[in-house]
Amino acid sequence: MILLTVIAVGLLTLSSISLRSSGQSGAMATARANARMALMLAIGELQKNAGPDQRITARADVDPQNTANPRLTGVWKSWDIKATSPPSPSDYEKTERDKKFVGWLASSIDGIASNQIGFAKTAPAGPATLWGKGSLGTAATAADLVTAAKVPTSTSRGAFAWAVMDEGVKVRINTPYIDDATTKGMQTAQLGSGQRPNTASIPAALDKTQRPLEKLDRSFFAYGSNGFTTIEKGITRLNLGLAADKLAAGTGDALKSLAHDVTSSSVGLFTDTASGGLKEDLNLLTNPVTLAAPYAGAGVYASRLGMTAASAPSDPRWESFQQFSQIYRDSNRLISSAGLPVLKAQAPQGWAAATTAGTTTLTTTVNPAPPPGVVMLPTIAKVQVLFSLVGRDLYPNLPPAVSGPLTTAQKAASMHGPQDAHFRPTKYDYDLHLLYTPIVTLHNPYNVALRFTGVRVEFLHVPFSMKVFRNGVAQSNDFVPLETMYGGTPNNYNGAQNKIFGMNLKAKNASGVPGSTTVTLLPGEVKMFSTYINPDRTYQQDLGGRTFWDIYVNTNLTSTIDAIPGWRGDGIGFDCDNLAGGYALDGTATNGHWAACLGLAWDDQIHVEFVPKNI
């Protein structure tokens, strides 16, 4: 249902300034007759053009070229996009869209011109002003004025003009609120109005810093209050202005300037705009404990859109829809915490979005099949990986500040082997490492708090490849994918095995370290998680019992780091030193290479080129 306002004006050409009383009465009767005719024609055109369910209305200003009469209402046929015959790019071209145009809801001399889409681009000759400064306020711009062509009835009986305004594009400002809605009926009614009516914050049409309705305080809209008793009398634009003026002097004039933006009568029906008729009420489908036979185990797309299972491999099941609709009465899933509702995350028993298998060779397989029930988990708003380079000491007895090559005595003890022994006779006293820090941002899409436990995020096939340049010279003969940066036994220089790393998401306790595996996100909350490593742990300590080294393809090293809310700065993450992978130029110590590891001298300059690709 489309709610529209019909403005009709009867006009009479008078031949003399001075008329007798009887002549005046006759002229008034003629003008009223013309207005009634205009009203009947307007309603007829409204029913003909916008009456069918498969119609869409919009204001002329949806097209910036319609500058002559931008507030006119246009009607288009709707477009039912079929899943089995998707549209082609040409269907979105302007010529195809214009074929769906029905007409403008305004009077025209011949009754045909208004059926052309270009009608709103040209102002009618000698028009009647239907919405002028008397209705819109003295500050109204030319774009706000609404004019329509005069249609003569006869040479002696004047003319008429009409136009229909679209109320559906305006905000309704006469709805109440109830702070203490207790019954289900009151709560249901409250869903149809704003939680916080804020008419006072509506900006002016021209100067957005102005608030013309700021005197309409929120307290006036409390259901049952004296203020709202006055406001609800404003069932039309004019008497809404009178009601508002009674509450706050001057507000009625302020409403005039917002006549094209606010309304007191915006309502609608649940019609199926694409196919016609009313939309289907699925409450009877979702209320029973078990689904009706035609829906049990069936996919939504296959059963409603005629798609085959092969063409809709991720078709959501009706069970998910039914279980979601029944959460409100599941006391085991929707609990109360400190008087506030908290939703426990859930997924169908035995279902997993992906599985990881293998021991020395890990393989992750994504499960494309839709879950057999509802999945209530936080959504992943963003996934990032921060890459940084760091020079690691090869020897443990380094002085606090080094401004040149180390002495033989400083290199006597070993720390980072076997590179330390390999580079001892050379100027290379450090090993170049890549740190990569996974960062995950989660979002709670629900209107209640969401609590989840034991969530792990895994990273697989990160699309990152780099080439290191030392003093302007490339240290590999190609870009090296992250997947191939492993030189153990066997090495992964060909990228045959997956490099998987992950984070266990945990809450942060009072000391700022990982705590409970249960995390709660508030309604709509967005929270970032990044890796945690004990800031007191040294690199030398980690060489003895490695906790944050790179994820090797064998399993004697960890593949998981804890992650907690917040960001603790760079220099924290998975640590990798096999930076040349299978693309190393040579393995000679004098050239600063050991296998695929790169040595650094104290005065070397490093830069990196990278491309977002995998193997």
Side-chain angles (χ1 to χ4, degrees):
M1 176 182 175
I2 305 165
L3 188 65
L4 303 132
T5 299
V6 180
I7 302 296
V9 175
L11 303 162
L12 182 64
T13 302
L14 303 179
S15 60
S16 175
I17 297 177
S18 178
L19 294 173
R20 292 176 302 174
S21 176
S22 59
Q24 290 177 335
S25 299
M28 183 62 71
T30 300
R32 288 173 175 169
N34 287 346
R36 284 194 297 271
M37 178 179 292
L39 184 61
M40 288 188 291
L41 289 173
I43 293 175
E45 289 297 304
L46 176 62
Q47 291 176 331
K48 181 182 74 173
N49 293 330
D53 295 329
Q54 302 97 324
R55 292 291 185 269
I56 303 295
T57 62
R59 276 197 330 209
D61 53 9
V62 295
D63 184 348
Q65 296 182 4
N66 292 333
T67 57
N69 228 341
R71 306 303 188 187
L72 288 186
T73 301
V75 182
W76 284 259
K77 295 177 182 177
S78 66
W79 184 14
D80 186 8
I81 299 178
K82 302 290 186 182
T84 53
S85 55
S88 64
S90 62
D91 292 322
Y92 294 95
E93 297 294 331
K94 185 177 184 302
T95 53
E96 290 298 317
R97 299 199 308 269
D98 288 351
K99 290 178 182 179
K100 299 178 177 63
F101 180 72
V102 177
W104 299 103
L105 297 179
S107 57
S108 62
I109 298 296
D110 57 8
I112 299 176
S114 59
N115 295 334
Q116 305 302 313
I117 196 166
F119 177 79
K121 295 179 181 179
T122 306
T129 300
L130 303 181
W131 287 54
K133 294 190 175 183
S135 300
L136 303 171
T138 56
T141 65
D144 286 328
L145 304 182
V146 179
T147 62
K150 297 176 184 176
V151 180
T153 56
S154 69
T155 56
S156 61
R157 297 185 63 83
F160 62 81
W162 61 270
V164 179
M165 299 291 99
D166 193 342
E167 298 296 300
V169 298
K170 303 177 184 180
V171 60
R172 185 168 179 175
I173 63 170
N174 61 340
T175 56
Y177 71 92
I178 304 174
D179 274 335
D180 56 350
T182 53
T183 68
K184 293 298 182 184
M186 294 172 66
Q187 293 169 353
T188 301
Q190 185 69 3
L191 293 175
S193 61
Q195 176 65 24
R196 184 184 185 276
N198 198 15
T199 303
S201 295
I202 297 177
L206 296 178
D207 185 353
K208 300 303 182 184
T209 64
Q210 299 296 316
R211 300 291 184 265
L213 304 181
E214 61 183 354
K215 294 181 181 179
L216 281 183
D217 187 79
R218 181 175 185 259
S219 62
F220 295 151
F221 295 85
Y223 184 77
S225 67
N226 292 332
F228 188 71
T229 301
T230 300
I231 287 177
E232 65 181 341
K233 295 176 181 178
I235 59 175
T236 68
R237 183 182 63 87
L238 292 178
N239 56 27
L240 177 61
L242 294 174
D245 239 0
K246 185 176 180 180
L247 293 173
T251 306
D253 284 336
L255 275 170
K256 289 182 178 181
S257 64
L258 295 170
H260 292 304
D261 304 301
V262 302
T263 182
S264 61
S265 52
S266 180
V267 295
L269 294 176
F270 289 108
T271 53
D272 186 341
T273 307
S275 304
L278 294 176
K279 293 180 180 179
E280 295 185 42
D281 185 354
L282 297 177
N283 286 322
L284 295 179
L285 173 66
T286 59
N287 279 335
V289 177
T290 58
L291 280 171
Y295 297 92
V300 175
Y301 302 152
S303 60
R304 303 297 292 176
L305 302 179
M307 300 180 70
T308 63
S311 62
S314 59
D315 190 356
R317 301 248 305 254
W318 283 104
E319 283 82 358
S320 297
F321 176 63
Q322 181 202 31
Q323 293 170 21
F324 179 84
S325 67
Q326 294 185 0
I327 286 176
Y328 74 97
R329 60 189 185 191
D330 186 346
S331 58
N332 293 322
R333 188 61 56 187
L334 189 62
I335 63 175
S336 177
S337 177
L340 297 176
V342 176
L343 176 66
K344 292 182 179 179
Q346 71 176 91
Q349 187 175 7
W351 175 83
T355 55
T356 301
T359 53
T360 58
T361 300
L362 299 176
T363 302
T364 293
T365 303
V366 176
N367 179 13
V374 68
V375 175
M376 306 292 290
L377 292 173
T379 59
I380 298 178
K382 186 185 297 184
V383 176
Q384 300 164 285
V385 179
L386 177 69
F387 294 92
S388 55
L389 293 175
V390 61
R392 298 294 194 190
D393 299 342
L394 294 177
Y395 311 101
N397 299 317
L398 299 182
V402 176
S403 59
L406 301 179
T407 65
T408 301
Q410 291 169 334
K411 296 183 180 183
S414 294
M415 183 173 76
H416 186 175
Q419 290 95 316
D420 47 13
H422 184 72
F423 288 122
R424 186 171 279 112
T426 73
K427 64 177 182 178
Y428 301 107
D429 302 328
Y430 309 93
D431 193 34
L432 185 64
H433 283 232
L434 173 70
L435 284 178
Y436 49 99
T437 308
I439 306 166
V440 174
T441 303
L442 299 184
H443 169 234
N444 175 9
Y446 308 110
N447 62 351
V448 295
L450 180 66
R451 181 175 296 170
F452 53 91
T453 300
V455 170
R456 168 184 165 86
V457 180
E458 285 192 345
F459 291 74
L460 171 68
H461 297 316
V462 175
F464 175 83
S465 299
M466 75 174 188
K467 181 187 292 187
V468 176
F469 291 78
R470 184 175 57 206
N471 301 321
V473 178
Q475 299 302 298
S476 62
N477 56 24
D478 200 351
F479 285 90
V480 183
L482 182 65
E483 204 88 349
T484 67
M485 294 181 186
Y486 172 68
T489 304
N491 65 52
N492 198 38
Y493 291 162
N494 61 358
Q497 292 138 4
N498 293 324
K499 189 176 232 181
I500 303 169
F501 56 97
M503 304 190 303
N504 290 328
L505 305 188
K506 296 183 177 181
K508 181 169 56 176
N509 66 19
S511 301
V513 300
S516 171
T517 59
T518 298
V519 179
T520 300
L521 294 179
L522 297 178
E525 183 179 14
V526 174
K527 185 172 288 187
M528 180 183 73
F529 292 81
S530 61
T531 54
Y532 174 85
I533 294 174
N534 185 349
D536 297 326
R537 185 176 180 83
T538 67
Y539 177 69
Q540 186 172 4
Q541 289 173 334
D542 208 67
L543 287 171
R546 296 176 175 179
T547 60
F548 58 84
W549 271 69
D550 180 46
I551 312 310
Y552 285 28
V553 292
N554 56 353
T555 58
N556 62 338
L557 295 175
T558 180
S559 62
T560 300
I561 290 180
D562 288 339
I564 59 177
W567 170 247
R568 273 147 299 285
D570 53 11
I572 298 175
F574 294 104
D575 195 302
C576 173
D577 67 351
N578 211 272
L579 306 188
Y583 302 84
L585 298 176
D586 57 55
T588 60
T590 55
N591 286 333
H593 283 215
W594 177 79
C597 299
L598 308 179
L600 282 180
W602 71 275
D603 57 350
D604 281 340
Q605 297 183 2
I606 298 293
H607 81 271
V608 176
E609 294 180 359
F610 65 91
V611 291
K613 72 174 183 178
N614 210 310
I615 55 176

PDB file of all heavy atoms in Angstrom, residues 576-589:
ATOM      1  N   CYS A 576      59.301 -15.906  11.911  1.00  0.00           N
ATOM      2  CA  CYS A 576      59.780 -16.742  10.802  1.00  0.00           C
ATOM      3  C   CYS A 576      61.106 -16.182  10.299  1.00  0.00           C
ATOM      4  O   CYS A 576      61.257 -14.958  10.161  1.00  0.00           O
ATOM      5  CB  CYS A 576      58.738 -16.752   9.688  1.00  0.00           C
ATOM      6  SG  CYS A 576      59.269 -17.583   8.178  1.00  0.00           S
ATOM      7  N   ASP A 577      62.095 -17.059  10.008  1.00  0.00           N
ATOM      8  CA  ASP A 577      63.376 -16.562   9.475  1.00  0.00           C
ATOM      9  C   ASP A 577      63.772 -17.224   8.163  1.00  0.00           C
ATOM     10  O   ASP A 577      64.847 -16.963   7.641  1.00  0.00           O
ATOM     11  CB  ASP A 577      64.488 -16.732  10.512  1.00  0.00           C
ATOM     12  CG  ASP A 577      64.822 -18.187  10.803  1.00  0.00           C
ATOM     13  OD1 ASP A 577      64.074 -19.073  10.325  1.00  0.00           O
ATOM     14  OD2 ASP A 577      65.810 -18.447  11.506  1.00  0.00           O
ATOM     15  N   ASN A 578      62.915 -18.068   7.614  1.00  0.00           N
ATOM     16  CA  ASN A 578      63.230 -18.760   6.358  1.00  0.00           C
ATOM     17  C   ASN A 578      62.707 -17.911   5.191  1.00  0.00           C
ATOM     18  O   ASN A 578      61.836 -18.336   4.430  1.00  0.00           O
ATOM     19  CB  ASN A 578      62.575 -20.141   6.371  1.00  0.00           C
ATOM     20  CG  ASN A 578      63.377 -21.153   5.589  1.00  0.00           C
ATOM     21  OD1 ASN A 578      63.189 -21.293   4.393  1.00  0.00           O
ATOM     22  ND2 ASN A 578      64.272 -21.860   6.275  1.00  0.00           N
ATOM     23  N   LEU A 579      63.242 -16.705   5.056  1.00  0.00           N
ATOM     24  CA  LEU A 579      62.581 -15.679   4.245  1.00  0.00           C
ATOM     25  C   LEU A 579      62.790 -15.839   2.747  1.00  0.00           C
ATOM     26  O   LEU A 579      62.055 -15.224   1.959  1.00  0.00           O
ATOM     27  CB  LEU A 579      63.065 -14.290   4.684  1.00  0.00           C
ATOM     28  CG  LEU A 579      62.906 -13.988   6.170  1.00  0.00           C
ATOM     29  CD1 LEU A 579      63.222 -12.535   6.452  1.00  0.00           C
ATOM     30  CD2 LEU A 579      61.514 -14.331   6.657  1.00  0.00           C
ATOM     31  N   ALA A 580      63.804 -16.625   2.326  1.00  0.00           N
ATOM     32  CA  ALA A 580      64.023 -16.793   0.890  1.00  0.00           C
ATOM     33  C   ALA A 580      63.380 -18.060   0.358  1.00  0.00           C
ATOM     34  O   ALA A 580      63.296 -18.259  -0.858  1.00  0.00           O
ATOM     35  CB  ALA A 580      65.521 -16.801   0.576  1.00  0.00           C
ATOM     36  N   GLY A 581      62.927 -18.938   1.265  1.00  0.00           N
ATOM     37  CA  GLY A 581      62.230 -20.143   0.840  1.00  0.00           C
ATOM     38  C   GLY A 581      63.015 -20.909  -0.208  1.00  0.00           C
ATOM     39  O   GLY A 581      64.232 -21.038  -0.140  1.00  0.00           O
ATOM     40  N   GLY A 582      62.338 -21.435  -1.181  1.00  0.00           N
ATOM     41  CA  GLY A 582      62.994 -22.156  -2.274  1.00  0.00           C
ATOM     42  C   GLY A 582      63.536 -21.247  -3.340  1.00  0.00           C
ATOM     43  O   GLY A 582      63.959 -21.719  -4.399  1.00  0.00           O
ATOM     44  N   TYR A 583      63.556 -19.948  -3.070  1.00  0.00           N
ATOM     45  CA  TYR A 583      63.993 -18.978  -4.073  1.00  0.00           C
ATOM     46  C   TYR A 583      65.342 -18.368  -3.714  1.00  0.00           C
ATOM     47  O   TYR A 583      65.733 -17.338  -4.247  1.00  0.00           O
ATOM     48  CB  TYR A 583      62.953 -17.860  -4.205  1.00  0.00           C
ATOM     49  CG  TYR A 583      61.582 -18.364  -4.573  1.00  0.00           C
ATOM     50  CD1 TYR A 583      60.701 -18.825  -3.604  1.00  0.00           C
ATOM     51  CD2 TYR A 583      61.167 -18.412  -5.898  1.00  0.00           C
ATOM     52  CE1 TYR A 583      59.442 -19.293  -3.924  1.00  0.00           C
ATOM     53  CE2 TYR A 583      59.910 -18.870  -6.240  1.00  0.00           C
ATOM     54  CZ  TYR A 583      59.055 -19.320  -5.253  1.00  0.00           C
ATOM     55  OH  TYR A 583      57.808 -19.781  -5.579  1.00  0.00           O
ATOM     56  N   ALA A 584      66.067 -18.972  -2.751  1.00  0.00           N
ATOM     57  CA  ALA A 584      67.350 -18.422  -2.324  1.00  0.00           C
ATOM     58  C   ALA A 584      68.353 -18.439  -3.473  1.00  0.00           C
ATOM     59  O   ALA A 584      68.400 -19.377  -4.281  1.00  0.00           O
ATOM     60  CB  ALA A 584      67.887 -19.217  -1.136  1.00  0.00           C
ATOM     61  N   LEU A 585      69.209 -17.408  -3.510  1.00  0.00           N
ATOM     62  CA  LEU A 585      70.214 -17.317  -4.567  1.00  0.00           C
ATOM     63  C   LEU A 585      71.359 -18.290  -4.315  1.00  0.00           C
ATOM     64  O   LEU A 585      71.854 -18.935  -5.226  1.00  0.00           O
ATOM     65  CB  LEU A 585      70.733 -15.884  -4.655  1.00  0.00           C
ATOM     66  CG  LEU A 585      69.672 -14.828  -5.012  1.00  0.00           C
ATOM     67  CD1 LEU A 585      70.276 -13.436  -4.976  1.00  0.00           C
ATOM     68  CD2 LEU A 585      69.079 -15.101  -6.387  1.00  0.00           C
ATOM     69  N   ASP A 586      71.836 -18.344  -3.076  1.00  0.00           N
ATOM     70  CA  ASP A 586      72.892 -19.285  -2.696  1.00  0.00           C
ATOM     71  C   ASP A 586      72.876 -19.424  -1.185  1.00  0.00           C
ATOM     72  O   ASP A 586      72.099 -18.761  -0.509  1.00  0.00           O
ATOM     73  CB  ASP A 586      74.271 -18.830  -3.199  1.00  0.00           C
ATOM     74  CG  ASP A 586      74.625 -17.440  -2.683  1.00  0.00           C
ATOM     75  OD1 ASP A 586      74.605 -17.253  -1.456  1.00  0.00           O
ATOM     76  OD2 ASP A 586      74.921 -16.556  -3.504  1.00  0.00           O
ATOM     77  N   GLY A 587      73.747 -20.272  -0.642  1.00  0.00           N
ATOM     78  CA  GLY A 587      73.793 -20.481   0.796  1.00  0.00           C
ATOM     79  C   GLY A 587      75.132 -20.144   1.396  1.00  0.00           C
ATOM     80  O   GLY A 587      75.510 -20.695   2.425  1.00  0.00           O
ATOM     81  N   THR A 588      75.895 -19.260   0.766  1.00  0.00           N
ATOM     82  CA  THR A 588      77.237 -18.951   1.250  1.00  0.00           C
ATOM     83  C   THR A 588      77.183 -17.898   2.346  1.00  0.00           C
ATOM     84  O   THR A 588      76.419 -16.935   2.277  1.00  0.00           O
ATOM     85  CB  THR A 588      78.126 -18.445   0.113  1.00  0.00           C
ATOM     86  OG1 THR A 588      77.545 -17.262  -0.447  1.00  0.00           O
ATOM     87  CG2 THR A 588      78.246 -19.499  -0.983  1.00  0.00           C
ATOM     88  N   ALA A 589      78.028 -18.093   3.349  1.00  0.00           N
ATOM     89  CA  ALA A 589      78.048 -17.175   4.484  1.00  0.00           C
ATOM     90  C   ALA A 589      78.536 -15.798   4.079  1.00  0.00           C
ATOM     91  O   ALA A 589      78.059 -14.777   4.574  1.00  0.00           O
ATOM     92  CB  ALA A 589      78.930 -17.745   5.593  1.00  0.00           C
TER      93      ALA A 589
END
